[in-house]
Amino acid sequence: MAGRKPLPVAVKKIKGTLQKCRVNPNEPRPIGKLGDPPEYMSDIAKEAWTYAVENAPSGLLSSLDASVLERWANCAGLYREALAKINRSGVAGMIIKTPSGILRRSPLMDVIRDLALEMKGYEAEMGFTPASRSKVSVSQSQTENSSDPWADIVS
């Protein structure tokens, strides 16, 4: 029977649960910060990428996480576009009439649901949901502004 997914050392440090006996000494440690979103992404997906990078806890995302963040940002962009189309039409946009005259739910509603479920998985992996974020704690030294010249004097 499979147990919980193993957590990376960086996540264990942030959560405050790192124990020396449970550290994998051969665990790869990604370096590099996430930069700008890929050029081929839509503008809405680029906005989602930038928002995530700017608001993620320090040290949580690295350049190795770019592919997961890319998938999440693309889903977020498509989700917002589909939802905007439904919102422009109002309740009438949620229902379509088939060629035979039968009313049924718009396929866009299925797209929105599927994208939301896919995004939820990525969000849980990256600590973007309240539940997954509650498992992470950032030390006081990480939350302080490092550009403050008085930070070293005041304790």
Side-chain angles (χ1 to χ4, degrees):
M1 181 186 302
R4 292 181 182 170
K5 293 181 193 176
L7 295 173
V9 171
V11 173
K12 289 179 185 178
K13 281 182 185 177
I14 292 171
K15 287 174 68 173
T17 60
L18 182 64
Q19 295 179 8
K20 194 173 186 177
C21 62
R22 295 184 181 166
V23 172
N24 177 1
N26 299 320
E27 177 185 326
R29 290 177 178 78
I31 56 173
K33 294 185 178 182
L34 284 169
D36 295 329
E39 286 301 316
Y40 55 83
M41 291 175 74
S42 71
D43 289 339
I44 297 174
K46 286 180 183 180
E47 287 176 25
W49 171 289
T50 303
Y51 179 81
V53 169
E54 290 175 354
N55 291 289
S58 177
L60 185 62
L61 298 175
S62 70
S63 58
L64 191 57
D65 303 316
S67 62
V68 177
L69 183 59
E70 179 183 345
R71 289 190 300 268
W72 173 81
N74 283 322
C75 285
L78 292 171
Y79 176 86
R80 290 175 185 173
E81 288 181 41
L83 197 56
K85 188 170 184 176
I86 291 287
N87 287 338
R88 280 192 298 273
S89 304
V91 175
M94 299 169 79
I95 301 169
I96 63 166
K97 193 173 193 176
T98 63
S100 61
I102 298 172
L103 295 178
R104 63 175 291 243
R105 190 166 89 167
S106 169
L108 269 181
M109 296 302 295
D110 294 332
V111 169
I112 289 170
R113 185 194 65 231
D114 292 346
L115 287 168
L117 287 173
E118 190 173 348
M119 286 169 49
K120 184 179 177 183
Y122 298 135
E123 290 164 352
E125 289 288 326
M126 295 185 292
F128 287 1
T129 64
S132 63
R133 202 169 38 251
S134 70
K135 298 173 187 169
V136 177
S137 64
V138 180
S139 70
Q140 186 65 24
S141 62
Q142 289 179 341
T143 60
E144 292 174 358
N145 187 355
S146 60
S147 63
D148 183 5
W150 297 97
D152 294 334
I153 298 170
V154 180
S155 52

